Amino acid sequence: MPSVQNVLIVGGGAAGCAAAILFARDGATVELAEIKPEESALGSGITVQGNALRVLRQLGVWDEVQAAGYAFSTLGLRAPDGTLLVEMDDVRTGGPDLPATLGMYRPALARILTQAAVAAGAKLRYATTVRSLRSDGSGVDVTFSDGATSRYDLVIGADGVRSQVRSLLGIELETRPTGMGIWRVFTSRPASVTRTDLYYRGACYIAGYCPTADDSLYAYLVEDAQDRSGLSPQEQLAVMRELAAHYHGPWDDIRAVMTDPGRINYTRFETHLLDPPWNRGRVVLIGDAAHTCPPTIAQGAAMALEDAAVLADVLLAADDLDQAAFDTFTARRYERVRTVVTESVQLGQWMLDGVEGNVPALMGKVMGLVSQPA
Ligand SMILES: Cc1cc2nc3c(=O)[nH]c(=O)nc-3n(C[C@H](O)[C@H](O)[C@H](O)COP(=O)(O)OP(=O)(O)OC[C@H]3O[C@@H](n4cnc5c(N)ncnc54)[C@H](O)[C@@H]3O)c2cc1C
């Protein structure tokens, strides 16, 4: 008899949906509890790198992702005045038959993954979370926010950086700010933007952009973290436009279409990494619930998707859901994730400290690592 016949997944982000698809496809009964009342219609863009695309292909959604996103395999480095300093082939971390990078509108990726999870058989419950979890040798008793109770062979906490599942397990994990904040805008794509270009220095630490479809892109400016919460949407737009005015070349075209205050977003970078193991009994944490990194290398969602793929690979092959099975999972993930988190933080720290770090060596190390199968 399979060791996982019924599973509860808490959190319907990339990690949760990926796990739902893989466990449901293998024949397990899967319930997915998502705290949001419905699918998000608005959001920003996301840079999806090759190793994440490799997992999306394994999930069976690559064709849809490719159709909805914007793929490219070169990267540009520019000076603030717009001068193109370097144009390089980007590492195809998912293998030669996948692009190095694909930009996507986040809600489009979320919709594809959610629909695939439901099509695989997962039962998705919006506006639902867990109130209590009690794991014993053979299963987990769960009480939901609506008072319902149920028992599962396995509970997967994929509920993001402030994971409630993690709290219910009594795990204390300090999520610390890294010192940077990011402005993002989602807008129409000028013809001059056909891939990501990064501008280091100038008024911000990083200014960059990523096409997300033929007709859209997201662009970002990374600054010292500060409290921007008191700004109205109009004021946010004004601040971002003022910062963007320090950058030229394609940024001039982007600035011209930065007009909708409703499409500006400000977030501060944070990080944490849970020591092994990532389970307590039959409850296991994946994705941002276990580790989070600033998006300086754009690997967070990739790590979340890989966690789900490795968890399914290990647990669906296990004869028993004993600690050895969970240790095997964490062992396959920990060093890879630790390196990505550490180097993502380091990259930002060099900029904060004004230190000339060896960025090519750091990027080469991370890209080499994530090019290996998870
Ligand atoms: C500014 C910024 C930019 C980023 N850019 C990139 C990028 O370009 N590329 C990249 O790869 N990564 C990027 N990341 C990282 C990436 O967004 C995350 O690593 C990724 O979303 C993690 O996926 P997840 O499924 O673990 O968590 P999440 O995406 O956070 O999903 C968690 C889900 O759980 C739900 N949830 C939360 N609490 C509960 C609860 N109590 N009960 C039930 N459900 C709950 C949430 O509503 C959500 O749907 C970025 C992060 C930030 C902050």
Side-chain angles (χ1 to χ4, degrees):
M1 208 196 290
S3 58
V4 185
Q5 293 188 63
N6 70 340
V7 47
L8 171 68
I9 299 169
V10 185
C17 284
I21 293 165
L22 293 168
F23 280 90
R25 202 199 274 164
D26 196 70
T29 301
V30 175
E31 287 177 35
L32 187 53
E34 167 57 53
I35 200 165
K36 285 194 303 249
E38 58 193 18
E39 222 171 79
S40 302
L42 287 181
S44 187
I46 185 164
T47 300
V48 190
Q49 296 192 10
N51 58 317
L53 300 177
R54 182 168 51 204
V55 181
L56 293 170
R57 184 174 60 190
Q58 182 189 346
L59 299 176
V61 297
W62 167 234
D63 289 346
E64 283 175 86
V65 164
Q66 188 177 24
Y70 191 109
F72 49 96
S73 293
T74 61
L75 175 71
L77 299 181
R78 288 183 190 263
D81 69 2
T83 306
L84 184 62
L85 304 171
V86 180
E87 180 179 19
M88 60 184 124
D89 286 333
D90 210 353
V91 185
R92 292 176 184 256
T93 55
D97 49 348
L98 287 168
T101 308
L102 180 130
M104 250 189 124
Y105 185 43
R106 271 181 185 261
L109 178 60
R111 182 182 41 76
I112 289 170
L113 286 172
T114 305
Q115 287 178 354
V118 171
K123 185 176 160 210
L124 172 60
R125 293 162 62 180
Y126 282 111
T128 304
T129 188
V130 288
R131 283 280 168 264
S132 74
L133 298 164
R134 201 176 56 80
S135 183
D136 57 40
S138 60
V140 189
D141 290 314
V142 176
T143 308
F144 290 93
S145 42
D146 62 1
T149 57
S150 202
R151 186 171 169 83
Y152 302 89
D153 295 331
L154 172 70
V155 173
I156 301 173
D159 50 345
V161 65
R162 278 171 242 297
S163 169
Q164 184 167 341
V165 172
R166 196 176 66 224
S167 300
L168 289 172
L169 292 175
I171 297 174
E172 287 183 16
L173 182 62
E174 187 201 354
T175 305
R176 65 176 182 86
T178 71
M180 289 175 155
I182 186 168
W183 288 103
R184 285 177 295 170
V185 60
F186 185 79
T187 186
S188 53
R189 181 182 71 87
S192 55
V193 175
T194 56
R195 59 142 192 260
T196 290
D197 288 326
L198 296 172
Y199 299 55
Y200 288 108
R201 304 215 170 77
C204 298
Y205 293 112
I206 311 169
Y209 42 74
C210 176
T212 47
D214 273 345
D215 58 357
S216 67
L217 63 66
Y218 78 107
Y220 42 93
L221 298 163
V222 179
E223 62 173 13
D224 283 314
Q226 47 204 289
D227 185 2
R228 300 289 201 178
S229 58
L231 300 180
S232 69
Q234 273 297 351
E235 287 167 334
Q236 291 193 349
L237 175 64
V239 171
M240 194 173 177
R241 283 182 59 83
E242 195 276 316
L243 290 171
H246 294 269
Y247 296 95
H248 301 286
W251 260 107
D252 290 322
D253 303 329
I254 295 169
R255 191 168 177 274
V257 290
M258 280 170 57
T259 52
D260 183 352
R263 304 317 304 258
I264 308 283
N265 171 278
Y266 187 75
T267 311
R268 292 191 241 184
F269 289 175
E270 298 179 310
T271 187
H272 66 213
L273 173 62
L274 183 60
D275 288 337
W278 290 351
N279 75 298
R280 296 294 183 272
R282 288 170 169 248
V283 185
V284 63
L285 301 173
I286 62 171
D288 273 16
H291 48 80
T292 192
C293 54
T296 44
I297 312 183
Q299 272 289 325
M303 291 298 104
L305 288 164
E306 286 186 1
D307 282 355
V310 173
L311 184 73
D313 190 40
V314 172
L315 296 193
L316 290 170
D319 293 329
D320 192 10
L321 284 197
D322 54 12
Q323 190 55 41
F326 290 105
D327 286 345
T328 302
F329 160 67
T330 316
R332 267 182 64 182
R333 294 304 296 149
Y334 186 73
E335 269 311 307
R336 184 176 176 110
V337 167
R338 191 190 63 78
T339 301
V340 168
V341 170
T342 305
E343 302 302 349
S344 299
V345 173
Q346 177 66 79
L347 195 53
Q349 195 61 49
W350 280 336
M351 292 180 229
L352 285 162
D353 294 343
V355 168
E356 198 70 45
N358 190 343
V359 177
L362 182 154
M363 289 303 290
K365 176 180 169 184
V366 174
M367 292 297 123
L369 176 67
V370 302
S371 295
Q372 305 298 318

